[in-house]
Amino acid sequence: MVNENNEAYVRNYIEQNLVKCGKVYIMGGNAVVSERFENSLSGYDVTRFGGDDRYETSALIAETFYGKSTLAYLASGDDFPDGLTGGVLAGLSRDGKGAPLLLVNERNTNLAASYIKDAGVRTVKAIGGTAAIPDEVLKAVI
């Protein structure tokens, strides 16, 4: 999350490390990264991926960056550790090409299920145990 406490640090990091590519992706809506901060990046090609919630955002990212994929990972959207570590695993999958990580919970399965169907996913790997992703959630998605 980018907020008033760390905006200067994030902007400094962008200026020092992204000057060559000039492209910045913001993952999340205005509640995660403020519109004010986004507007302060006027010298860059900025693209925001922000759905109505984190579940929609994860689906937007999957569709945009992975399109068709034979593999997808699921992580609980209720807590961050599985998604954080699972994102690294997903990024290293498929011989370094990466695979999407979709967030789910008991109330949010439709977007992940739609992506999996539309993308032709054949293998789904859940990050965490059944306390994180209960069997009924996994069944609803696949």
Side-chain angles (χ1 to χ4, degrees):
M1 177 182 286
V2 178
N3 57 41
E4 292 176 2
N5 297 324
N6 63 9
E7 280 184 4
Y9 172 81
V10 173
R11 188 179 348 280
N12 185 48
Y13 179 86
I14 290 169
E15 289 170 358
Q16 289 184 0
N17 295 286
L18 300 179
V19 173
K20 293 178 184 173
C21 74
K23 191 156 196 64
V24 176
Y25 294 111
I26 297 175
M27 305 301 183
N30 292 334
V32 177
V33 179
S34 73
E35 188 173 356
R36 183 177 59 82
F37 181 77
E38 178 181 0
N39 292 337
S40 77
L41 301 173
S42 60
Y44 298 94
D45 178 9
V46 178
T47 303
R48 180 185 291 268
F49 294 91
D52 289 339
D53 55 31
R54 63 187 70 178
Y55 307 95
E56 186 175 350
T57 299
S58 73
L60 287 170
I61 293 167
E63 292 164 2
T64 302
F65 290 99
Y66 297 100
K68 300 286 183 190
S69 180
T70 59
L71 172 64
Y73 288 84
L74 301 177
S76 171
D78 291 338
D79 206 0
F80 74 92
D82 291 341
L84 185 62
T85 57
V88 175
L89 176 63
L92 295 172
S93 296
R94 296 180 50 225
D95 299 323
K97 295 176 186 170
L101 175 74
L102 298 153
L103 299 178
V104 295
N105 71 10
E106 292 84 4
R107 299 169 310 285
N108 294 282
T109 58
N110 291 341
L111 294 168
S114 292
Y115 173 79
I116 287 168
K117 179 183 176 204
D118 295 344
V121 173
R122 293 190 311 255
T123 303
V124 176
K125 297 186 178 189
I127 307 296
T130 55
I133 300 179
D135 288 341
E136 60 268 13
V137 171
L138 188 57
K139 287 176 186 173
V141 171
I142 58 174

